[in-house]
Amino acid sequence: MPTQLSPYLSYDGNCADAMRFYAELFGAKLEALITFGQMPQDMPCPPGGEHRVMHAHLVHPGFSLMAGDTPPGMAYRGIQGAMMAISFDEPAEAQRVFAALSQG
């Protein structure tokens, strides 16, 4: 595999929803969606954090995106100091994606 830089986004409990949205929006494959509750028994999860995403990986021919929810018991501080850019061959596709990302 060639060297590739992949953004890693942090969420506060809504990582699964966000990654499913991005997968549908971009026609990408959600290769991994692992919750803290699915971790091995020797890595216990604090109560209430079982459904938070420990790691998610989205794959598209043009990019890769990884993400996770803030670990249980850790304060979420939001994403700070990051920007991402995506390019499209067709203006109509750029407009479709922009419109979808602009909602909510």
Side-chain angles (χ1 to χ4, degrees):
M1 172 192 254
T3 301
Q4 181 180 2
L5 178 64
S6 300
Y8 203 108
L9 303 177
S10 179
Y11 291 90
D12 190 25
N14 60 337
C15 178
D17 292 338
M19 293 299 275
R20 288 184 185 113
F21 172 76
Y22 296 144
E24 183 177 334
L25 177 66
F26 294 113
K29 180 181 178 189
L30 189 54
E31 282 198 351
L33 187 72
I34 304 163
T35 65
F36 284 98
Q38 294 172 313
M39 297 301 295
Q41 293 295 331
D42 62 339
M43 299 177 72
C45 175
E50 298 88 349
H51 300 290
R52 294 178 79 82
V53 174
M54 190 276 301
H55 177 70
H57 186 202
L58 186 80
V59 178
H60 180 276
F63 64 89
S64 171
L65 178 65
M66 292 185 264
D69 286 313
T70 304
M74 181 181 267
Y76 177 72
R77 298 199 190 331
I79 298 171
Q80 301 175 11
M83 289 189 279
M84 291 187 290
I86 187 166
S87 301
F88 297 94
D89 290 333
E90 299 296 326
E93 180 66 358
Q95 290 169 343
R96 181 188 73 80
V97 170
F98 181 83
L101 292 173
S102 297
Q103 296 177 13

